[in-house]
Amino acid sequence: MASFPPQVHDTARLVTPGGGSVDIDVEMVGLVQRVWELNYSTFVCCQDLGESAGAIRNRDNHPPTYVEAGFAEYYDGFAWLKMPLDDGLDMLNRLTETSFRERVTTRWTPGSWRLHAPLITSQVGKVMVARAAHIHFPKTQITELTYVLRSL
């Protein structure tokens, strides 16, 4: 799991399923460990993407484009898990059989989740869906989500 965006939150070093090591935001440690125990892969995570983006924007003279106006505000209070698309969709489908059903299936309501699978352009100029799921959910749900995933 790469350190993207640049590290803002306190972290703990974890050993990945592949034997490497990675720094994970402390509030995400238990969740990421459980996701790995379920044999899902992760690319990136953040315990509060909006807070992180805002801190980067305020710290850097020339912040990256992903933290321009509106981004930090949109994701303020949302945790982020970036996973392979198939893993993310499988995990979300499994969560529909839990107390998280309404959160993962209902859009644009308080407490609901956001899933983005961006469009990208291939080397030959074809538009396609990225093979990564960007899952955003209220950071206040991290502990409960970790607990619910332990029942799967």
Side-chain angles (χ1 to χ4, degrees):
M1 197 177 297
S3 180
F4 176 83
Q7 200 55 54
V8 171
H9 300 115
D10 291 337
T11 62
R13 179 142 302 210
L14 295 183
V15 175
T16 68
S21 64
V22 65
D23 292 332
I24 301 292
D25 289 356
V26 292
E27 291 183 35
M28 297 289 283
V29 166
L31 174 59
V32 169
Q33 287 175 321
R34 182 59 187 147
V35 167
W36 290 345
E37 288 168 1
L38 290 168
N39 294 314
Y40 296 130
S41 296
T42 57
F43 297 135
V44 182
C45 71
C46 185
Q47 66 192 37
D48 188 325
L49 185 56
E51 180 180 66
S52 183
I56 292 165
R57 183 174 60 203
N58 293 335
R59 178 185 70 200
D60 296 350
N61 290 332
H62 303 287
T65 57
Y66 70 86
V67 296
E68 290 178 353
F71 185 94
E73 293 75 13
Y74 183 77
Y75 287 109
D76 188 44
F78 277 80
W80 174 37
L81 265 178
K82 181 179 177 186
M83 305 171 66
L85 185 58
D86 291 341
D87 286 1
L89 291 174
D90 188 70
M91 185 179 80
L92 291 173
N93 280 313
R94 291 177 75 182
L95 285 170
T96 66
E97 302 300 322
T98 73
S99 59
F100 275 80
R101 177 179 180 72
E102 293 303 314
R103 297 176 224 190
V104 300
T105 62
T106 305
R107 294 179 293 183
W108 310 117
T109 61
S112 67
W113 290 27
R114 302 170 185 165
L115 170 71
H116 302 279
L119 295 177
I120 59 173
T121 305
S122 71
Q123 291 178 340
V124 295
K126 288 192 166 230
V127 175
M128 52 198 226
V129 174
R131 300 302 301 161
H134 296 260
I135 302 169
H136 304 93
F137 55 93
K139 72 178 185 178
T140 57
Q141 296 176 12
I142 294 170
T143 301
E144 182 184 0
L145 175 60
T146 305
Y147 176 79
V148 166
L149 288 175
R150 287 191 183 119
S151 70
L152 298 181

